[in-house]
């Protein structure tokens, strides 16, 4: 297995584990990442997910050695597995934190952008290198990039195929934190600790609202939340939250 999954005290860590190739993602690894995220989604003990890479890199993206084979049918097959992987990361109801050291290229940067939060080492090297190999963006890269930065900046990053450092990523809003080299995973774990005792269903519904917002009008957003909130007031965590507020104590959320 080139994808490792560990679960400790509510925090799942999905590690891309092929450091000898800068964690370049083989076709079979796409299915392993998808499987790991689906398992985390269905495990009530998991409250937050960290996505990271083994060794000194996050991931160099798709393994170039597997590109282009099999004609149109082969390409469609690879795209199906890429999109299943991307959807598994983006559509999980649980908070996802990407911890990035070293290179984070192509589809792997798209995976990081599909996370809720990115923590990057200051010297991390993000890149959408599609132009350098004569490809258009994939993995939802163009869509995701324009959710974080203005369209002209997104085009400049994509069209140029240049590297973006972890420091610049944090300045542009593409990463929430920029850490000294070697400390991204530790910071991600620190952030994850804040979700372990959080009201899981409430965060899941907030995530759905953020996902839906770009395609909604203001009135549609209000209608959406009007359908969500009556369900939320039936949860154990809502009762615990309101009781703890009245009793002036810290809430003990259980995630249901």
């Amino acid at each position: 297995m080139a994808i490792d999954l560990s679960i400790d005290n509510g925090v799942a860590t999905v590690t891309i584990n092929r450091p000898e190739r800068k964690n370049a993602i083989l076709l079979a690894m796409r299915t392993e990442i998808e499987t790991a995220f689906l398992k985390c989604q269905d495990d009530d003990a998991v409250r937050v997910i960290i996505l990271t890479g083994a060794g000194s890199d996050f991931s160099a993206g798709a393994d170039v050695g597997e590109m282009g084979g099999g004609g149109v049918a082969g390409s469609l097959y690879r795209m199906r597995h890429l999109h299943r992987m991307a959807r598994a990361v983006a559509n999980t109801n649980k908070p996802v934190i990407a911890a990035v050291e070293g290179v984070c290229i192509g589809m792997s940067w798209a995976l990081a952008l599909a996370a809720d939060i990115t923590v990057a080492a200051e010297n991390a090297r993000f890149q959408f290198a599609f132009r350098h190999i004569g490809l258009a963006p994939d993995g939802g890269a163009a869509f995701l990039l324009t959710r974080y930065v203005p369209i002209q900046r997104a085009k400049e990053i994509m069209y140029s195929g240049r590297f973006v450092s972890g420091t610049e990523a944090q300045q542009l809003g593409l990463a929430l934190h920029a850490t000294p080299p070697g400390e991204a995973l530790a910071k991600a774990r620190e952030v994850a600790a804040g979700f372990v005792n959080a009201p899981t269903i409430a965060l899941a519904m907030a995530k759905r609202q953020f996902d839906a917002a770009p395609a909604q009008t203001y009135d549609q957003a209000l209608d959406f939340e009007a359908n969500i909130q009556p369900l939320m007031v039936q949860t154990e965590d809502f009762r615990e939250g309101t009781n703890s507020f009245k009793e002036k104590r810290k809430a003990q959320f259980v995630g249901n």
Side-chain angles (χ1 to χ4, degrees):
M1 295 285 286
I3 304 299
D4 293 335
L5 171 61
S6 63
I7 300 171
D8 181 32
N9 192 32
V11 180
T13 302
V14 178
T15 304
I16 306 169
N17 190 7
R18 198 181 174 218
E20 71 280 3
R21 293 298 302 273
K22 293 186 177 294
N23 297 320
I25 297 175
L26 294 165
L27 177 60
M29 293 166 64
R30 301 179 191 188
T31 300
E32 292 180 25
I33 292 173
E34 176 195 4
T35 299
F37 270 83
L38 292 177
K39 181 176 180 179
C40 291
Q41 173 65 33
D42 292 338
D43 187 344
D44 290 339
V46 173
R47 310 290 284 274
V48 57
I49 306 165
I50 295 173
L51 176 63
T52 192
S56 58
D57 295 290
F58 184 79
S59 171
D63 191 300
V64 178
E66 289 189 334
M67 291 182 182
V72 173
S75 180
L76 288 172
Y77 180 80
R78 288 189 294 274
M79 291 301 290
R80 283 198 301 273
H81 283 271
L82 167 58
H83 292 163
R84 285 167 50 179
M85 172 185 68
R87 287 187 173 103
V89 175
N91 292 341
T92 181
N93 284 337
K94 299 174 182 182
V96 180
I97 304 166
V100 179
E101 298 275 353
V103 298
C104 181
I105 295 175
M107 71 158 69
S108 299
W109 192 4
L111 290 179
L113 291 176
D116 297 284
I117 293 170
T118 294
V119 177
E122 295 165 343
N123 63 348
R125 289 160 59 82
F126 296 90
Q127 184 188 38
F128 283 126
F130 299 106
R131 63 155 285 169
H132 298 308
I133 55 174
L135 289 178
D138 61 25
F143 173 85
L144 293 165
L145 194 57
T146 55
R147 292 188 67 181
Y148 286 89
V149 297
I151 186 67
Q152 289 191 79
R153 178 59 67 198
K155 288 179 177 180
E156 182 272 326
I157 290 170
M158 190 69 72
Y159 291 175
S160 68
R162 69 177 178 88
F163 282 103
V164 175
S165 71
T167 298
E168 184 184 3
Q170 193 272 335
Q171 292 169 346
L172 291 175
L174 294 164
L176 184 61
H177 300 287
T179 71
E183 296 183 15
L185 182 56
K187 182 64 177 180
R189 287 173 174 155
E190 178 186 322
V191 175
F195 294 113
V196 170
N197 297 312
T200 306
I201 299 175
L203 294 186
M205 292 302 100
K207 188 168 181 175
R208 295 283 73 84
Q209 288 174 295
F210 279 118
D211 287 344
Q216 291 177 321
T217 65
Y218 181 60
D219 283 339
Q220 288 170 332
L222 294 179
D223 288 342
F224 189 30
E225 68 184 44
N227 291 322
I228 291 173
Q229 210 69 308
L231 299 175
M232 296 305 305
V233 299
Q234 303 303 315
T235 65
E236 291 295 328
D237 281 345
F238 170 74
R239 282 187 280 274
E240 168 61 12
T242 52
N243 287 337
S244 65
F245 180 82
K246 294 172 186 176
E247 297 165 7
K248 295 181 171 55
R249 59 175 175 81
K250 185 176 181 179
Q252 300 296 316
F253 295 117
V254 295
N256 57 41

